[in-house]
Amino acid sequence: GAGVSQSPSNKVTEKGKDVELRCDPISGHTALYWYRQSLGQGLEFLIYFQGNSAPDKSGLPSDRFSAERTGGSVSTLTIQRTQQEDSAVYLCASSLARLAGGLDEQFFGPGTRLTVL
Amino acid sequence: AQKVTQAQTEISVVEKEDVTLDCVYETRDTTYYLFWYKQPPSGELVFLIRRNSFDEQNEISGRYSWNFQKSTSSFNFTITASQVVDSAVYFCALSGETSGSRLTFGEGTQLTVNP
């Protein structure tokens, strides 16, 4: 079956512009996660959606970052007024969340490489 | 707070050598899960294994084996008879009952297997 897909694969933008990154999770996976991978910070958690519950936004680095998950499936991560330090690979993951606390393995997409000039 | 430490930034071996990647974790949770992921040059993170905190039995899968020791808070990963295709960055990760489902990753170990 299809894995997690993300688009675009690469995005180059100018400082100050807004960007939207898209994630299509594996069909049937109720949990969806966004992470960021950058040279200086490694892999960082950003936000987590589980079913109809309120998302866990505790990893978002600033209020310029937001995410939505429509219909319990596709998710969009939006970065407003991009800064150079936002340059990173943004990874999306999904899981079945069968286990208590949702501690199932997470399956990752290929990522979107964001470059802010 | 949770923390994962992978002290080995880079490891280089010659094909067919055995190699062990170290992972040490910190958590106050009683129930937690440990993971290993592989990130090949293509960039996509590939799930390798999940262990829960109540199961210290070591696991072997082909050339891969994992040694979980709660007494030393370690979850080490050994590749036996390494191959060039094993070259990748390997991440150890942790999630626990108080942190929900988020994964806390180590810094990763870049493994290079030379022919």
Side-chain angles (χ1 to χ4, degrees), chain B residues 87-102:
Chain B
S87 297
V89 181
Y90 290 86
F91 291 94
C92 181
L94 167 70
S95 67
E97 54 196 342
T98 58
S99 63
S101 300
R102 70 169 75 181

Side-chain angles (χ1 to χ4, degrees), chain A residues 81-114:
Chain A
R81 305 181 303 282
T82 52
Q83 304 294 311
Q84 288 182 331
E85 61 262 29
D86 299 334
S87 296
V89 176
Y90 289 81
L91 294 165
C92 177
S94 69
S95 75
L96 279 169
R98 294 166 300 179
L99 302 177
L103 299 176
D104 259 303
E105 61 266 34
Q106 297 175 23
F107 295 89
F108 283 79
T112 293
R113 181 174 296 279
L114 175 65

Side-chain angles (χ1 to χ4, degrees), chain A residues 32-100:
Chain A
L32 186 147
Y33 312 79
W34 285 97
Y35 294 87
R36 176 169 74 172
Q37 186 173 23
S38 55
L39 277 177
Q41 303 297 324
L43 271 158
E44 307 171 274
F45 165 80
L46 297 177
I47 187 169
Y48 158 56
F49 296 90
Q50 170 57 56
N52 295 321
S53 303
D56 176 357
K57 304 180 182 179
S58 57
L60 295 178
S62 78
D63 58 10
R64 295 186 295 104
F65 288 71
S66 62
E68 290 184 340
R69 188 177 185 193
T70 54
S73 181
V74 171
S75 177
T76 303
L77 177 68
T78 301
I79 309 173
Q80 296 179 308
R81 305 181 303 282
T82 52
Q83 304 294 311
Q84 288 182 331
E85 61 262 29
D86 299 334
S87 296
V89 176
Y90 289 81
L91 294 165
C92 177
S94 69
S95 75
L96 279 169
R98 294 166 300 179
L99 302 177

Side-chain angles (χ1 to χ4, degrees), chain A residues 6-12 21 111-115:
Chain A
Q6 292 185 246
S7 60
S9 55
N10 279 284
K11 176 72 176 179
V12 180
L21 312 179
T112 293
R113 181 174 296 279
L114 175 65
T115 303

